[in-house]
């Protein structure tokens, strides 16, 4: 049974803490650590399953950049949880507890070694004869890593042949404003969610010890399982729609439209929740399509002032652009393009 209290706590924090500061946070270019700590202190990191998705949706309604940094940890918790369940190293149980209580916050850098084709980050094993002990030397580039300088750790994938290694890197030094030898984050000039501090990560002979290995798997098997993991990012789009529903409801002229949008939102959420791997790309596309239309509707309801920055409408439209392309897959992109250009085919 979903815990209604969790969604309500997330909504209250989104409305009282995140939304009022969203424009200032964007201007400052970094989600404050105090936001992440306040959300964790309210017990939101302990939410699982449907509750965790409801939290992401409510946070995204308030401030997408904060929700985006927040959601990164969902993937880390999943891999650490699996390692603990497999009877893995006890340190991972302790690390998972740190993440659930908010003593630490973590992100992911999965795409470089998980997407189809050759690996963008290669791991070369080093043996126990090496002065630094067992482990790997990593080289390559990760195109997107969110939360750089904000988070304590990142779960990074690297490839050794067909084997994918999931390595939890300690980013404490980077968070304190320092540098890690062989690791360089190049900040990307994003048009939306720039406070997420997303970087391109360069690894140049970066050394990682064998004790940082959380899991390993075969590239082909991991790719085959990819579609099953597409549900969580859909909640970012649901949150943006939720924001538009609530903003338009405050204007009597658009109350009916807001109610109709809320109904569409409910239907899209039901589809996402029910979808298996085959329907998840279509369900994700439907959520993003709705977010794109809802953002345009909010701009229209706002009128010409929607083009003056900073404003809720212009930020929401920029964030809808981000959602169109973020976390995409060929099947999601095809479904979106087919829907957007349907009138041309008729
Ligand atoms: C602002 C921003 C921040 C991001 N932050 C992070 C982050 O912190 N951590 C992170 O891991 N990723 C992050 N991503 C990457 C994201 O998860 C997606 O990989 C990316 O948005 C897809 O980009 P693309 O469509 O350009 O495809 P590419 O990354 O160029 O991928 C090539 C092709 O392979 C497909 N593909 C990619 N991955 C898979 C897969 N696993 N299985 C099957 N097909 C696949 C793609 O759809 C595409 O067609 C971020 C992206 C953006 C835009």
């Amino acid at each position: 049974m979903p815990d209604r209290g969790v969604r309500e706590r997330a909504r209250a924090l989104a409305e009282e803490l995140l939304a009022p500061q969203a424009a200032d946070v964007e201007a400052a270019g970094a989600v404050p650590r105090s936001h992440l700590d306040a959300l964790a202190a309210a017990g939101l990191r302990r939410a699982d399953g449907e509750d965790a998705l409801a939290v992401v949706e409510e946070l995204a309604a308030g401030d997408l950049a904060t929700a985006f940094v927040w959601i990164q940890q969902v993937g880390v918790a999943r891999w650490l949880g699996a390692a603990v369940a497999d009877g893995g190293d006890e340190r991972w149980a302790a690390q998972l507890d740190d993440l659930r209580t908010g003593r630490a916050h973590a992100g992911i850098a999965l795409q470089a070694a998980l997407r189809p084709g050759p690996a963008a980050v290669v791991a070369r094993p080093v043996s126990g004869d090496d002065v630094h002990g067992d482990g790997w030397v990593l080289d390559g580039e990760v195109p997107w890593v969110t939360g750089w300088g904000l988070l304590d750790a990142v779960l990074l994938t690297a490839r050794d042949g067909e084997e994918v290694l999931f390595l939890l890197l300690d980013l404490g030094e980077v968070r304190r404003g320092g540098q890690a030898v062989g690791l360089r984050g190049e900040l990307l000039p994003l048009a939306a969610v720039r406070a997420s501090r997303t970087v391109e990560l360069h690894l140049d002979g970066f050394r990682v010890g064998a004790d940082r290995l959380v899991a390993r798997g075969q590239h082909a098997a991991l790719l085959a399982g990819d579609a099953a993991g597409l549900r969580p990012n859909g909640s970012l789009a649901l949150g943006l729609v939720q924001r538009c529903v609530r903003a338009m409801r405050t204007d009597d002229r658009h109350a009916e439209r807001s109610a109709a949008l809320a109904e569409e939102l409910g239907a899209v959420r039901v589809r996402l929740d029910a979808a298996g791997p085959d329907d998840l790309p279509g369900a994700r596309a439907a959520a993003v399509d709705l977010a794109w239309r809802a953002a345009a509707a909010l701009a229209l309801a706002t009128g010409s002032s929607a083009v003056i920055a900073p404003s809720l409408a212009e930020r929401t439209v920029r964030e809808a652009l981000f959602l169109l392309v973020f976390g995409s897959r060929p099947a999601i992109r095809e479904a979106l393009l087919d829907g957007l250009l349907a009138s041309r085919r008729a």
Side-chain angles (χ1 to χ4, degrees):
M1 279 287 283
D3 175 355
R4 286 191 171 275
V6 172
R7 183 183 272 275
E8 274 153 25
R9 282 204 304 283
R11 180 174 173 174
L13 277 162
E15 287 182 350
E16 290 157 23
L17 177 70
L18 306 192
Q21 293 185 34
D24 288 345
V25 163
E26 182 168 59
V31 169
R33 177 71 175 211
S34 54
H35 274 16
L36 301 178
D37 290 341
L39 300 172
L44 301 183
R45 278 292 187 208
R46 293 192 181 279
D48 272 330
E50 273 181 58
D51 291 333
L53 296 174
V55 167
V56 170
E57 181 179 324
E58 292 297 338
L59 301 185
D63 174 17
L64 193 66
T66 301
F68 186 45
V69 173
W70 177 266
I71 200 174
Q72 302 305 316
Q73 190 163 302
V74 171
V76 186
R78 187 164 71 87
W79 282 102
L80 283 179
V84 171
D86 273 3
D89 198 307
E90 274 180 21
R91 282 169 311 121
W92 299 141
Q95 177 82 54
L96 196 55
D97 196 50
D98 281 350
L99 298 182
R100 289 208 168 122
T101 53
R103 282 191 293 272
H105 300 278
I108 47 170
L110 301 183
Q111 285 304 309
L114 272 188
R115 68 184 169 193
V121 173
V122 173
R124 183 169 50 83
V126 285
S127 75
D129 303 341
D130 189 275
V131 282
H132 300 286
D134 282 353
W136 295 270
V137 174
L138 309 182
D139 286 289
E141 264 90 47
V142 191
W144 310 97
V145 181
T146 291
W148 194 247
L150 305 176
L151 302 174
D152 305 287
V154 68
L155 185 68
L156 174 124
T157 57
R159 289 244 305 272
D160 178 7
E162 286 309 301
E163 184 164 61
V164 178
L165 308 171
F166 291 76
L167 300 156
L168 192 68
L169 310 188
D170 182 348
L171 292 183
E173 197 52 44
V174 176
R175 213 202 123 202
R176 288 187 288 275
Q179 298 206 340
V181 178
L183 210 55
R184 183 171 60 85
E186 188 181 338
L187 203 58
L188 296 169
L190 299 182
V193 298
R194 57 186 288 267
S196 66
R197 286 191 59 86
T198 297
V199 297
E200 180 173 274
L201 184 61
H202 303 269
L203 297 105
D204 185 8
F206 180 72
R207 302 198 57 108
V208 54
D211 60 337
R212 304 315 296 168
L213 182 71
V214 174
R216 58 206 322 164
Q218 286 300 305
H219 185 229
L222 290 163
L223 271 190
D226 177 68
L230 292 177
R231 169 64 185 90
N233 282 332
S235 290
L236 296 171
L238 299 182
L240 204 80
V241 180
Q242 191 73 266
R243 182 195 300 172
C244 298
V245 167
R246 291 171 187 163
M248 287 173 65
R249 194 165 55 202
T250 60
D251 183 336
D252 286 347
R253 291 169 304 164
H254 302 298
E256 246 178 66
R257 292 194 173 99
S258 161
L261 191 57
E263 230 173 87
E264 272 197 87
L265 169 62
V268 166
R269 191 189 297 108
V270 166
R271 180 174 172 189
L272 270 172
D273 286 342
D278 287 347
D279 190 39
L280 263 170
R284 276 278 305 277
V288 171
D289 176 69
L290 187 60
W292 182 245
R293 289 188 287 115
L298 178 62
L300 285 164
T302 304
S304 299
S305 65
V307 295
I308 296 177
S311 76
L312 183 69
E314 63 85 23
R315 178 162 56 85
T316 302
V317 171
R318 285 187 286 113
E319 291 177 348
L321 162 67
F322 157 76
L323 291 172
L324 274 182
V325 294
F326 162 70
S328 193
R329 296 289 183 271
I332 299 177
R333 184 160 43 229
E334 288 302 308
L336 272 166
L337 282 168
D338 282 353
L340 282 169
L341 302 182
S343 56
R344 297 208 173 181
R345 290 201 316 269

